[in-house]
Amino acid sequence: MADGTALFPIDARDKLTARLQNAVNGFVDGPRAAVENADRVLEEAITDLTRTLTERRRALRTTWQPHTAEPTPGEPTAAEPTSPAPPPTGDTEQLRLALQDYRETAERLLRL
């Protein structure tokens, strides 16, 4: 990503990798436990990746969409706006940078 944010921070990636390796190493002594541990590692990796990408998308959207008030808890919200408000005139450079960030993020995701 343009700002250098990794999809998985190095420390989190290293911890998940170590846990997965421990699961693999434990297979001979406890096959079921090893597979259950590997399942938990994958579940946590998916959860972390989803959270990271959701936060990244939220940050990207703030660079080009008009700021709106946060919904009140319990208040129904629209899933997605049908057509975002056009950016102010002269914002082409900001939109170009946002598009570049979107492209870089999507390309990184697609290379997984």
Side-chain angles (χ1 to χ4, degrees), residues 7-19 44 48:
L7 294 178
F8 280 100
I10 293 171
D11 60 331
R13 184 191 65 212
D14 290 347
K15 287 177 185 176
L16 288 171
T17 300
R19 286 177 49 207
E44 188 173 326
D48 290 351

Side-chain angles (χ1 to χ4, degrees), residues 44-75:
E44 188 173 326
I46 290 168
T47 300
D48 290 351
L49 180 61
T50 300
R51 183 177 40 249
T52 298
L53 290 170
T54 299
E55 290 170 3
R56 179 66 181 151
R57 181 172 180 243
R58 186 175 298 122
L60 283 169
R61 291 183 89 179
T62 63
T63 66
W64 65 274
Q65 282 192 333
H67 299 292
T68 58
E70 290 292 320
T72 305
E75 180 180 297

